Amino acid sequence: MASLRWLTPRRRSATARSVLAGEASAEAARKSEQELHEQYEREQARERAKQEAEAQKRAEGKAEGKAEEEAEEEPPFPVEGDDRAAAFFDLDNTVMQGAAIFHFGRGLYKRKFFERRELTRFAWQQAWFRLAGVEDPEHMQDARDSALSIVKGHRVSELMSIGEEIYDEYLAERIWPGTRALAQAHLDARQKVWLVTAAPVEIATVIARRLGLTGALGTVAESVDGIYTGKLVGEPLHGPAKAEAVRALSAAEDLDLARCAAYSDSHNDIPMLSLVGHPYAINPDSKLRKHARERDWRLRDYRTGRKAAKIGIPAAAGVGALAGGTAAAIAVHRRRG
């Protein structure tokens, strides 16, 4: 029965290790953003002109029949040019279908990092994730413990390069177009957009860059001279640790959390959602849906084919405006000693 311990949920709260994990993730995210800022800005500048032209065409083509919808709209959000506002997106089942760590495991297995029995374990974990529709903290930590043992002794740069390949092989087709459009709305409003995930920060950074986002907050694995030690800095970025990471990054970036937005599918992220002035429940599990309705939070569900809601400027409604997120692959080499 010991091998099934990840099936049993347990309660967790903010601890000193949560704070450490959050602060380490925020520091790693800011370093990554600084290293790639100039290249990111060049890509965004080229794509913005294309996006604006496409947005204008969509706005003109869809003007008829929208009078009733627009009459009920709330004030435009996100607010154009509000540089003290940002958006924070959970990854698993919010931005993409399923768990990124599972698909990362598939990619490593394909490259002979481990044996079939470990792949079977990953498969069972993913099956449980899809069946339950929620993140169980112990289940997710068990998956990350397996991943840490697999990458121990490998170079950080090697995993980053492999992460680029795995994104193309497994992740690109699993991105929710509706959530991606929400993220693009913030980018078009000239706001920063961050992934916040329990996945390794290096892999999260690859995903963020491939989607055209600002960067990522993720679990920080310890490395010495660019080689993984098999240990974590603090704990996995899950639950309260995510909130601590957002808090730390917001302080460093001089953001006003009351003007920021956060998006998640899981009740485990209620601490993060509760930090911001604009919380969204995306593809919510039952507990988060209930919590969101009680507090009048906005809900979006892209699992049933429902129409994605427009949340501000016209570019938010169109998936075509997101071509910038598929810019050429960027090999991200992190340097931590």
Side-chain angles (χ1 to χ4, degrees), residues 193-258:
V193 178
W194 304 85
L195 288 182
V196 189
T197 173
V201 67
E202 292 83 8
I203 304 307
T205 298
V206 169
I207 296 171
R209 290 295 181 248
R210 297 298 291 274
L211 293 176
L213 310 183
T214 307
L217 296 159
T219 297
V220 178
E222 182 184 78
S223 64
V224 176
D225 295 328
I227 298 175
Y228 289 113
T229 66
K231 300 178 182 178
L232 292 182
V233 178
E235 65 180 13
L237 201 72
H238 186 275
K242 281 189 179 181
E244 294 300 330
V246 170
R247 198 191 311 274
L249 183 64
S250 296
E253 296 271 315
D254 192 29
L255 300 174
D256 181 355
L257 285 170

Side-chain angles (χ1 to χ4, degrees), residues 43-235:
E43 293 290 342
Q44 286 293 299
R46 283 196 296 268
E47 291 301 325
R48 186 164 287 117
K50 180 179 178 181
Q51 292 164 6
E52 288 175 355
E54 292 176 347
Q56 182 63 30
K57 290 181 181 178
R58 285 193 303 275
E60 293 173 355
K62 297 181 180 180
E64 186 176 352
K66 284 193 172 183
E68 182 178 342
E69 178 183 338
E70 292 175 355
E72 298 176 355
E73 278 187 5
E74 300 174 3
F77 180 80
V79 178
E80 176 77 22
D82 185 357
D83 59 5
R84 295 202 65 203
F88 302 94
F89 283 79
D90 169 56
L91 176 60
D92 294 347
N93 216 33
T94 301
V95 171
M96 62 168 283
Q97 302 174 49
I101 191 70
F102 165 73
H103 297 294
F104 183 56
R106 290 177 66 191
L108 293 183
Y109 171 75
K110 180 180 178 180
R111 291 159 178 81
K112 303 186 184 303
F113 271 63
F114 56 93
E115 302 299 325
R116 181 176 293 275
R117 61 186 179 86
E118 282 86 9
L119 180 65
T120 302
R121 182 181 181 84
F122 273 112
W124 274 107
Q125 290 167 338
Q126 175 70 351
W128 172 254
F129 179 87
R130 294 180 67 87
L131 178 66
V134 298
E135 299 173 2
D136 173 67
E138 192 159 347
H139 162 208
M140 299 301 289
Q141 182 168 350
D142 194 52
R144 284 184 290 277
D145 287 344
S146 299
L148 281 170
S149 66
I150 290 166
V151 302
K152 181 179 179 180
H154 288 274
R155 299 199 66 82
V156 174
S157 58
E158 177 188 10
L159 269 293
M160 293 295 291
S161 180
I162 290 174
E164 296 282 354
E165 299 171 5
I166 290 174
Y167 179 87
D168 290 324
E169 292 170 5
Y170 302 116
L171 304 183
E173 64 184 18
R174 290 177 168 82
I175 303 300
W176 291 109
T179 311
R180 195 172 178 184
L182 295 174
Q184 188 64 40
H186 289 277
L187 294 173
D188 289 343
R190 293 177 293 157
Q191 294 179 5
K192 293 183 177 180
V193 178
W194 304 85
L195 288 182
V196 189
T197 173
V201 67
E202 292 83 8
I203 304 307
T205 298
V206 169
I207 296 171
R209 290 295 181 248
R210 297 298 291 274
L211 293 176
L213 310 183
T214 307
L217 296 159
T219 297
V220 178
E222 182 184 78
S223 64
V224 176
D225 295 328
I227 298 175
Y228 289 113
T229 66
K231 300 178 182 178
L232 292 182
V233 178
E235 65 180 13

Side-chain angles (χ1 to χ4, degrees), residues 259-275:
R259 288 143 70 174
C260 292
Y263 302 79
S264 179
D265 72 293
S266 174
H267 69 279
N268 293 307
D269 288 338
I270 288 175
M272 177 180 75
L273 295 169
S274 299
L275 278 180

